[in-house]
Amino acid sequence: MAWFKRELKGIITTTEEKKEAPDGIWNKCPNCKKPLHYSEQVENQYVCHYCGYHLRIGSKEYFSVLFDNNEFTELFADLTSGDPLHFEDTKKYTDRLTETQFKTGLKDAIRAGVGKIDGQDLVIACMDFNFIGGSMGSVVGEKIARSIDHSIANKIPFLMISKSGGARMMEAAFSLMQMAKTSAKLALLSQAKVPYISLLTDPTTGGVTASYAMLGDINIAEPGALIGFAGPRVIKETIKKDLPKGFQTAEFVQEHGFLDFIVDRREMKEKLASFLKMMAN
Ligand SMILES: [Zn+2]
């Protein structure tokens, strides 16, 4: 017999009412499951100090890690997506956009800024995975294109930080066109002899991998990042073969010649600054 009996069923405290651990102060490392305090994460550039796992972060955090004193001018901040196809799945695309904008405080899955890293000018365009899976729609493509124009006009090197599930299905072909558009713009950047560094972070997949993410003068990735084009199940069913273990990790991709370097986020700024210096000479 039990010592006491619960008479009422289904007593549930809503998450907002659980006060012991204020929301967002403690986080569990997704890899080693150890608790990480928010201030420790910031101090350690959002890398788990137990196991070195690189937490997924957004443009706000990357800008703070890379730009000197977190000072930069945001570019093309007001671009937002239209709904050319009047797309609707479980909800209307326009509603999904408004909701996501409200929830994330972002206008779309990318932000661009110009500032200095270690005293050298740099344009950075950085994707945000929180915004519909970092999907590449027309706003992402357009912001990248305009950032490249800004780089060419001012002779400032361009850094692209990719983090994406691929093309945005709600924009269908308009989304796929961004692959050609960004690639063509990068060709112009190259003709103008302005350096382009591509940084692939966890995850970089689909049409993003198949276009601008792999076109850097230098392609670098963060350790352990998932990098691929199609998902493993699709590939397995297509080629009818088992896939090697870890075949879509940054380490595997580097071994097979698609990446130049894997750089720990805690050394990222220093490495990028030295690449920029090298390419400026
Ligand atoms: Zn960890």
Side-chain angles (χ1 to χ4, degrees):
M1 201 179 104
W3 280 99
F4 90 103
K5 205 167 145 203
R6 173 171 277 181
E7 307 234 317
L8 287 169
K9 272 192 183 154
I11 300 174
I12 294 163
T13 312
T14 57
T15 315
E16 303 90 75
E17 284 173 33
K18 290 180 180 164
K19 295 283 189 214
E20 315 87 66
D23 195 31
I25 296 291
W26 288 93
N27 222 337
K28 214 186 207 178
C29 167
N31 186 47
C32 71
K33 316 278 184 239
K34 292 207 170 103
L36 301 170
H37 193 269
Y38 181 72
S39 64
E40 290 172 336
Q41 290 174 42
V42 175
E43 225 168 83
N44 211 30
Q45 267 103 67
Y46 310 92
V47 176
C48 171
H49 55 261
Y50 297 106
C51 71
Y53 178 83
H54 284 49
L55 297 162
R56 281 186 184 178
I57 53 174
S59 57
K60 179 172 166 265
E61 290 81 11
Y62 275 110
F63 288 167
S64 76
V65 168
L66 296 175
F67 282 127
D68 294 348
N69 310 316
N70 197 15
E71 285 169 13
F72 61 95
T73 310
E74 189 166 352
L75 300 170
F76 327 113
D78 291 326
L79 282 182
T80 52
S81 194
D83 181 18
L85 304 172
H86 308 291
F87 189 90
E88 191 171 344
D89 47 22
T90 50
K91 54 181 110 165
K92 281 188 177 155
Y93 180 38
T94 44
D95 292 346
R96 192 183 292 276
L97 284 170
T98 323
E99 270 169 39
T100 314
Q101 283 165 349
F102 178 75
K103 217 169 63 192
T104 59
L106 299 161
K107 292 275 164 61
D108 208 285
I110 191 168
R111 288 203 308 148
V114 59
K116 288 187 188 296
I117 89 163
D118 242 356
Q120 304 172 90
D121 290 319
L122 184 66
V123 173
I124 305 180
C126 179
M127 301 189 73
D128 279 289
F129 197 79
N130 285 346
F131 199 100
I132 319 186
S135 51
M136 170 189 58
S138 29
V139 170
V140 169
E142 185 61 21
K143 268 203 194 178
I144 294 172
R146 291 193 195 182
S147 301
I148 296 170
D149 285 341
H150 188 89
S151 280
I152 295 173
N154 300 286
K155 295 265 176 221
I156 300 174
F158 178 53
L159 169 69
M160 178 70 224
I161 304 177
S162 296
K163 185 181 284 291
S164 172
R168 185 171 298 170
M169 63 162 191
M170 299 85 169
E171 293 185 26
F174 289 97
S175 174
L176 297 179
M177 282 174 205
Q178 309 310 318
M179 295 168 69
K181 183 165 88 183
T182 53
S183 304
K185 280 287 180 188
L186 286 170
L188 294 178
L189 185 72
S190 164
Q191 270 175 22
K193 299 206 176 343
V194 178
Y196 169 41
I197 301 174
S198 174
L199 168 58
L200 293 83
T201 70
D202 186 50
T204 298
T205 61
V208 170
T209 311
S211 59
Y212 53 84
M214 283 291 185
L215 293 173
D217 299 317
I218 301 178
N219 294 326
I220 55 185
E222 288 184 338
L226 172 83
I227 297 168
F229 178 60
R233 194 174 43 85
V234 177
I235 302 174
K236 199 176 159 182
E237 278 166 15
T238 310
I239 64 170
K240 312 268 181 244
K241 268 186 196 164
D242 280 331
L243 299 161
K245 211 175 163 236
F247 84 115
Q248 284 182 325
T249 58
E251 290 73 13
F252 188 93
V253 174
Q254 184 193 27
E255 220 169 89
H256 291 77
F258 290 98
L259 283 177
D260 299 301
F261 303 99
I262 293 174
V263 180
D264 191 295
R265 194 183 289 152
R266 290 163 288 189
E267 291 153 19
M268 191 63 77
K269 182 171 176 169
E270 193 189 320
K271 279 274 159 64
L272 287 172
S274 78
F275 291 148
L276 291 174
K277 227 165 254 160
M278 187 182 80
M279 291 190 285
N281 291 321

